[in-house]
Amino acid sequence: MSIATTNDLSILPLPSDQDASGRTFGTEEIAAVTAALKSGTLTSTKGEFTKQFEIQFAKIMHLEHAHACSSGSAALHTAVAAVNPEPGEEIITTSITDMGALSAILFQGAVPRFADVDPRTYNVTAESIERCISKRTRAVMVTHLFGNPCDMDAILELARRYSLPVIEDCAQAFLAEYQGRMVGSLGDIGCFSLQQGKHITTGEGGIVVSDRDDFARRMFLFINKAWGYGDPNPDHYFLAPNYRMNELTGAVALAQLDKLDFSVRQRVATAEELTQQIQSVPGVATPTIRSGNRHTYWKYCLDVDPAVIPGGTVALGKMLREQGVFCAPRYIQKPAFQCQVFRDQCTLGSSGFPFNLAAPEALDYSPELFPGTFEALARVLVLPWSERYEARHIDYIGKTIRDSVRALL
Ligand SMILES: *Cc1c(COP(=O)(O)O)cnc(C)c1O
């Protein structure tokens, strides 16, 4: 299936993560789904596939516990529920992230307190987090954006100093490494997504990981309506949804997990090749990666300098799109705190909960507090990426970038 919207033969259709062209489904997934169906057991409370997926994922992460759930957003909600903040307490997070990370905080009655990001890595830093710490801070939630690890030593040192648990949103960062250690295993809880566009996918799905028995127990319960499966006198111990993964999904997840290493290695190799090809293009900087870290390229981001390239990321993005490279200038367009849910505090009825409990400084979204965020969004150009890219795709993307920049200069 062609993804190009034009008949221009000079356009090379790129594999897309939204359909089979850019994904890795094969006989393994089909066999697994068939086996799950034939077993007649599609709930993970009784089946084997989801359980195996959890065991295998924990092993890959070198962690004690992994619990699968229905989405990355569910995983993040589960992580926040494990921390169990009091209503109105604050969880420090990032201004450039997926809404799933923020609704997770709000659903548990806590207030997202936004930290600014480094304009070159798009990630929160220990300094930007520290500026947000208050008496009400209950946890820190970092996002390893695009697959590039946050500077975890400094963040973990800070969190220890204030006795704050750290939740890592690894939805975009499967197998990314910070100084030789896997992200998701550095803080207290790691959260992953298996949504259609992630490194491996089941369409929708998620998983949480932890080495902490107390958090893992609470997460298992939260996913399961807090029903104490296996306990001598089980009950519904607290308020919790049904966030379970089903066995059809678990079967696909298990088959996809075997392909994770391939997916990541392919993405890294092709990304490094593109970096070589566009290294000397004026006004365009390739990803900033700390030495010793492994960026696993959920997407490949360019930093476009508008002082060099007239029209900056929007102009370059438009030209790339016209040539079939369906990139996203400015990524999420605006900082998360400018979304309607934050602007109008649309939550439960007309209560404004939990914003109505927040300290005023937690809701101060003045642009001057977020210079890194606005600079990052003004300059970032997000290229779609896939484990199915081949040399010819990279050559095409590289040439398209070089030619487009030359045309704009
Ligand atoms: C995809 C994503 C999520 C949400 O995952 P879903 O499975 O779509 O709910 C959360 N955080 C980040 C950073 C993501 O990229």
Side-chain angles (χ1 to χ4, degrees):
M1 187 165 52
S2 169
I3 56 163
T5 55
T6 147
N7 294 321
D8 186 342
L9 290 176
S10 66
I11 290 180
L12 178 68
L14 296 173
S16 164
D17 61 17
Q18 298 302 298
D19 61 45
S21 68
R23 306 275 39 178
T24 55
F25 303 128
T27 50
E28 302 80 8
E29 285 77 10
I30 293 167
V33 171
T34 305
L37 275 172
K38 282 188 174 158
S39 78
T41 304
L42 295 185
T43 171
S44 57
T45 57
K46 302 286 192 318
E48 281 303 317
F49 287 98
T50 304
K51 199 173 295 164
Q52 274 306 316
F53 170 59
E54 293 172 338
I55 290 168
Q56 295 302 327
F57 196 73
K59 203 187 254 176
I60 287 171
M61 294 299 299
H62 307 294
L63 291 172
E64 207 50 49
H65 308 283
H67 296 297
C69 55
S70 52
S71 69
S73 302
L76 288 154
H77 189 182
T78 299
V80 173
V83 170
N84 201 20
E86 295 297 325
E89 284 187 330
E90 297 164 10
I91 296 186
I92 299 173
T93 182
T94 168
S95 52
I96 305 183
T97 190
D98 184 276
M99 190 51 64
L102 305 174
S103 58
I105 297 170
L106 293 170
F107 273 127
Q108 286 311 107
V111 176
R113 177 102 187 234
F114 293 99
D116 198 17
V117 304
D118 177 316
R120 292 298 168 271
T121 64
Y122 322 113
N123 283 332
V124 287
T125 65
E127 298 76 60
S128 69
I129 292 169
E130 186 157 24
R131 284 199 294 276
C132 296
I133 288 179
S134 78
K135 280 195 180 61
R136 297 186 181 208
T137 309
R138 186 54 192 270
V140 174
M141 180 193 281
V142 301
T143 300
H144 305 293
L145 207 67
F146 303 118
N148 198 11
C150 296
D151 190 4
M152 291 305 288
D153 277 340
I155 292 171
L156 293 172
E157 191 279 320
L158 176 72
R160 260 192 302 273
R161 191 143 39 88
Y162 289 92
S163 302
L164 299 170
V166 174
I167 298 167
E168 294 179 79
D169 182 349
C170 307
Q172 305 182 356
F174 278 97
L175 305 191
E177 287 174 15
Y178 174 79
Q179 304 300 300
R181 289 167 295 155
M182 214 122 39
V183 305
S185 69
L186 300 163
D188 297 271
I189 299 172
C191 302
F192 294 82
S193 165
L194 297 165
Q195 189 266 338
Q196 177 76 40
K198 305 299 160 82
H199 288 78
I200 53 171
T201 183
T202 56
E204 308 291 350
I207 191 162
V208 291
V209 294
S210 183
D211 250 348
R212 278 187 55 166
D213 295 343
D214 54 345
F215 283 162
R217 166 73 176 163
R218 237 188 122 76
M219 292 197 289
F220 166 77
L221 289 169
F222 190 74
I223 290 166
N224 286 285
K225 297 180 257 186
W227 178 253
Y229 284 96
D231 290 359
N233 298 300
D235 198 344
H236 293 285
Y237 301 132
F238 54 84
L239 175 64
N242 175 355
Y243 272 164
R244 284 193 285 266
M245 179 177 279
N246 70 68
E247 286 289 278
L248 293 172
T249 302
V252 176
L254 189 58
Q256 281 277 288
L257 195 54
D258 279 342
K259 302 175 181 179
L260 178 58
D261 192 53
F262 166 84
S263 171
V264 166
R265 275 189 291 112
Q266 284 298 116
R267 283 165 178 265
V268 172
T270 50
E272 288 176 350
E273 172 59 26
L274 181 65
T275 296
Q276 290 302 316
Q277 292 195 16
I278 60 174
Q279 200 65 260
S280 53
V281 176
V284 170
T286 55
T288 300
I289 308 162
R290 177 172 161 184
S291 163
N293 284 3
R294 185 193 203 198
H295 184 328
T296 57
Y297 297 97
W298 175 59
K299 305 285 180 194
Y300 185 108
C301 292
L302 301 175
D303 171 78
V304 183
D305 185 351
V308 177
I309 298 178
T313 182
V314 172
L316 180 56
K318 183 164 177 288
M319 285 199 76
L320 296 186
R321 291 175 72 89
E322 281 165 7
Q323 295 166 89
V325 180
F326 292 105
C327 55
R330 301 181 52 81
Y331 185 43
I332 55 172
Q333 304 302 318
K334 56 190 180 195
F337 51 73
Q338 289 186 348
C339 291
Q340 190 174 347
V341 50
F342 288 100
R343 213 181 50 221
D344 300 347
Q345 304 183 350
C346 317
T347 50
L348 310 181
S350 54
S351 67
F353 178 86
F355 296 106
N356 59 344
L357 305 178
E361 55 276 18
L363 305 181
D364 185 353
Y365 307 143
S366 308
E368 53 274 25
L369 296 176
F370 302 94
T373 301
F374 285 95
E375 185 181 338
L377 293 175
R379 296 169 64 111
V380 70
L381 182 57
V382 184
L383 302 181
W385 216 246
S386 165
E387 59 277 11
R388 300 281 298 276
Y389 280 1
E390 297 167 9
R392 63 198 172 101
H393 300 118
I394 300 307
D395 292 346
Y396 180 77
I397 296 169
K399 183 176 185 319
T400 305
I401 292 168
R402 290 193 304 272
D403 291 351
S404 301
V405 169
R406 201 172 303 124
L408 286 168
L409 284 178

